[in-house]
Amino acid sequence: MTGQSANKPAEGDIEAGQGLHPQSNGAQPGPADEHERDEDGKAPAKDFVQSTGLSSSEASDLLVKWGRNELEEKRTPKWLVFLQQLYAPMPIMIWIAVIVEAAIENWPDMGILLGIQFINAFLGWYETTKAGDAVAALKASLKPESTCKRDGKWQTLDASLLVPGDLVLLASGAAVPADCLVNAGQIDVDQSALTGESLPVTMYRGDAAKMGSTVARGEVEGTVEFTGKSTFFGKTATLLQQGGELGHLQKILLRIMGVLVVTSLALCITVLVYLLCSGERIKDALSFTVVLIVASIPIAIEIVCTTTLALGSRMLAKHGAIVTRLGAIEDMAGMNMLCSDKTGTLTLNKMVIQEETPTYLPGLDQAQVLRYAALAAKWHEPARDALDTLVLGAVDMPSLDQYTQTAFVPFDPTVKRTEGTLRCSDGSVFKTTKGAPHVICKLCSDQSVVSRVNAKVESFGQRGIRSLAVAKTDSAGNWQMAGLLTFLDPPRPDTRETVERALAFGVDVKMLTGDHLLIAKETARQLGMGTNIQDAAGLPSLEEGGKVPDNLGAQYGEMIMHADGFAQVYPEHKYLIVAALRQCGFAVGMTGDGVNDAPALKRADVGVAVQGATDAARAAADIVLTQPGLSTVIEAIVISRCVFQRVKNFINYRIAATLQLLIFFFIAVFALRPRQYQPAQYDNLPDDEQWPAFFKMPVLMLMLITLLNDGTLISIGYDNVTPGHMPEKWNLPALFLISIVLGAVACGSSLLLLWAALDSWNPDGIFAHFHLPGQPYGHITTLIYLKVSISDFLTLFSARTHAGFFWSVRPSPILLIAAGVALSLSTALACIWPTGHTDGILSEGLAYGDYTLLPLWTWVYCIFWWFVQDTLKVLAYWVMHRYNILDINNAHAVNLRDATSAFDKGRPLAHASVGLTDTKLLQRRLERTSDKVADMARTSQTADASHLRRLSQSLQRASRTLGDSALGVAEAANMAQDPEAAAFNFETEVQRLTEATHALPTQMQDEIAPNLRGVREAADRLAATRSSQSHPGR
């Protein structure tokens, strides 16, 4: 019922040695009632009923039957998003604390905890839904419309209301609103969003124009055949529904919170049993357990992470990237494999005349060949097809004024060429023609020229370059070949540099295109992406029911990893390529703009819809670009890695702060019993003035620490950080170890201060040694509150610099201001805290009483231990790096998301990922430098040309050695040998390369210095990467 060619990548019909014309590519030639088709044609589909339009009532009935003509999207209601914020691990811990507070009838604290719970949920809900609303607004502004005949009148209608049987107008420049059959006439349809093919496809009566394509030229009426999920995109929509898994950051936070929750519950149960066995009242035991629970809850961890990601999304929006899923920012920071659609992303998505123009008549150049091609068109009228547009856009139009066109033969599918008859100003008459080379060659009698043309066309075909033949008649009326115009969808000007920048950031870029293999290879060659482009023949298919094979990664992962791209692929193939890489452990990004890209965008860790993407692509994507090209993606990678660093710094701090409080109260209940330190003068006071049996802090104070410290820590989203040059990953064991070191110092110093304060009435105690008076219990409670508040925030300044001292990375002014505000408020509250009982616990401001300098000495004490804490952290990092503890050195060299060792048995491709992008980066820079030197040698007229040729040979030898070295490293890794030996030959070649430049004059050395510097930097990076894997046991 439909033209089958519209369902396939039209470029798959390309054959080497044949030129292309839009009318002969893809959809079948013209209707048989107008022309008899040749042996390449097919009969048109006549067995369909042409619509004459529907009535509103008929359309309403059909709309109920078939549904709206739009992409089905699974949306989570906003109220459910809010509820989801209330049953994550951390909220569950708060609910437990609320229940316990209710059980012991402590209503004020229960109210505080409920307030914290719902504020937390609201902030998470707000940030989660806001990004989705922004994209919904963007989609609404781009809502498609259609021209439809209803009730006997043409009217503009929302395309989502179309139904099968509607009569629509398919006009130039308009999107095809549904799967439609052409009633009569002829149109050119741009199907690049469906197939990746840049040239429009000409369609005739009975051919099917698919939803998602655009009418490039012409105007016809069409009958709507399929709408919504029944369209060509139906299978794609099915693939889009196979998502919904947790984001990587969510999984990481769940693992972290899971560890903290399990630790907290174990310690809480232990303490509760101990207190009950010690004879404490159930109410008192439960009251203390609540304190321990609240202390162990990193309440703000999700709020701060979500807010930091939201701030990052706003930064990305300023660079033209709208984030639809906040977790995608963390995924992009760890992305190490980027699969990119070709047409419109890597290329301009428009054909451009190339410089190469073979000529076959004396004295002709490209300008004259273009002139003859333009004379075979109606140059005074709007272009009739894509090739006319191409030619007329490149020709010197004023030069055509000297000719008068007396006759014109338009393109016909039976002859496959156009022809013009011209009269010159001197009265002479001649003809010109343009069309497919094999067609034009049949007109020419000179077989030697025909052979040369065929050889040239075949040569171009092997490079994926398309040809248009141009011929003219001589004075005797004989056809003579004038020349070949070559054209190609060229790369974007910034794409080559963007691909190299991606490699420099440890991201391997692969081309996935529905275009022909030869075209894909030529595009990859121009972009410096490598020419190991595979076709779809070796790729698998989805199992029955659309299921991804379980062994997909194991069977195809290595082949896909080493390939530079894939051509002639369908949406299913793109989807499976992404799925295979993910199964192998790669963090995969996918860019695209068309319906054919949507399933892979949904399946990828980070789906990026480029500028001008279809609704289907935007709906499937995590990030929507509003600026053209791939360069915005690189900016997004840099920003995402900065955001990742901020989130990682906060989590490092939050784990340390949580462990500090949890272990502090746990040890204090066993080791430091206040009543044992109570001075004699308190013995005769009422029971509520007696020192308690065990130390605990009011829940209100703990909540204030959370609100003031963690609340102002939202400012960490603006902190100064340095993005990593390799994809980020979570080494949680190493992160926890550093957090334990930080938390241990803070916890130990808090326990020491608590013991010293409890023992302050001892004339031989520490307080007495420093001439500090004995402290009442209310002061001790507030003193520990102040100490914990200060240590908490200072721990952040240690955590944020990782292996460096806290002064090695300057904090942002906003973070410093926030710290100043939080610490000032905490100090002020500690000074003026009301005297009395808070949650039944004695408390009193440190400014009350005879001695008022205790807050000052607390600050001095905290700062001293902060220096100790930071020093021990740096020492811990030094030991870990020195002995490669927890694979801290290897983690980033292994370019898989969750693998930290090249010898990870669970990740067979771990060893092959080592140096993968560094090797490609060095290869690209060697090629670019070699091209530069070769150009200099060709243009040089001095004796230095020989030196340049020798340097060029050295570069080529280094490139070959690099390939051999890369193979050696892979073999060494497989055999667990030292990869440094495999790299030695290449290091020697780089040294020879440096020496070879010394023979050149200073001016030439300066000219190629930036290129050679890039080669040296890439070589050093590769050597460092390989060296990190030399001794896996260390």
Side-chain angles (χ1 to χ4, degrees), residues 693-777:
F694 49 87
F695 178 81
K696 66 177 181 177
M697 191 182 293
V699 171
L700 178 59
M701 287 185 172
L702 290 172
M703 291 298 97
L704 284 172
I705 292 173
T706 296
L707 291 174
L708 289 177
N709 284 12
D710 287 0
T712 54
L713 274 177
I714 290 175
S715 62
I716 201 170
Y718 298 98
D719 195 19
N720 296 325
V721 291
T722 302
H725 77 274
M726 289 295 288
E728 299 287 359
K729 61 174 66 177
W730 294 95
N731 188 341
L732 288 183
L735 187 69
F736 265 95
L737 181 57
I738 294 299
S739 295
I740 288 171
V741 171
L742 294 171
V745 175
C747 176
S749 60
S750 296
L751 287 169
L752 178 62
L753 182 62
L754 175 60
W755 169 74
L758 292 173
D759 196 46
S760 60
W761 295 92
N762 181 358
D764 297 322
I766 293 178
F767 267 52
H769 179 75
F770 287 97
H771 307 291
L772 298 175
Q775 298 298 314
Y777 192 79

Side-chain angles (χ1 to χ4, degrees), residues 1-6 23 26-35 37 41-51 167 170 180-189 201-209 219-223 225 413:
M1 190 172 184
T2 64
Q4 294 302 313
S5 60
Q23 290 96 325
Q28 304 307 328
D33 54 353
E34 295 177 6
H35 301 282
R37 297 190 180 178
K42 293 182 180 179
K46 291 185 177 181
D47 57 343
F48 74 96
V49 178
Q50 297 183 18
S51 174
L167 180 65
L170 304 177
C180 301
L181 296 173
V182 177
N183 285 358
Q186 167 185 329
I187 53 172
D188 287 350
V189 179
V201 174
T202 300
M203 294 187 175
Y204 304 89
R205 178 177 178 272
D207 285 329
E219 183 174 310
V220 298
E221 293 178 1
T223 299
E225 184 182 20

Side-chain angles (χ1 to χ4, degrees), residues 61 125 185 208 210 266 335 365 368 434 445 463 523 563:
D61 293 340
W125 169 84
K210 301 297 184 182
M335 181 178 72
D365 57 15
Q368 290 170 305
K434 71 178 189 298
S445 57
R463 293 166 52 194
T523 303

Side-chain angles (χ1 to χ4, degrees), residues 533-614:
I533 307 294
Q534 308 287 329
D535 60 21
L539 294 175
S541 299
L542 288 170
E543 294 180 348
E544 189 174 350
K547 183 182 177 184
V548 175
D550 294 332
N551 62 345
L552 183 66
Q555 278 193 295
Y556 299 94
E558 187 167 7
M559 181 268 289
I560 293 173
M561 182 188 73
H562 288 299
D564 296 313
F566 292 87
Q568 294 172 276
V569 295
Y570 292 91
E572 179 181 329
H573 295 131
K574 295 183 180 183
Y575 183 85
L576 288 170
I577 288 169
V578 170
L581 289 171
R582 293 189 71 208
Q583 283 186 12
C584 292
F586 290 99
V588 185
M590 174 72 199
T591 69
D593 60 351
V595 175
N596 59 334
D597 302 316
L601 291 173
K602 186 71 172 180
R603 184 63 178 171
D605 294 286
V606 186
V608 181
V610 299
Q611 186 196 41
T614 60

Side-chain angles (χ1 to χ4, degrees), residues 502-515:
L503 290 172
F505 280 109
V507 180
D508 191 11
V509 182
K510 298 188 183 302
M511 178 195 300
L512 305 185
T513 178
D515 221 331

Side-chain angles (χ1 to χ4, degrees), residues 394-407:
V395 73
D396 177 20
M397 294 294 286
S399 69
L400 305 180
D401 293 340
Q402 60 183 303
Y403 302 101
T404 301
Q405 193 174 73
T406 59

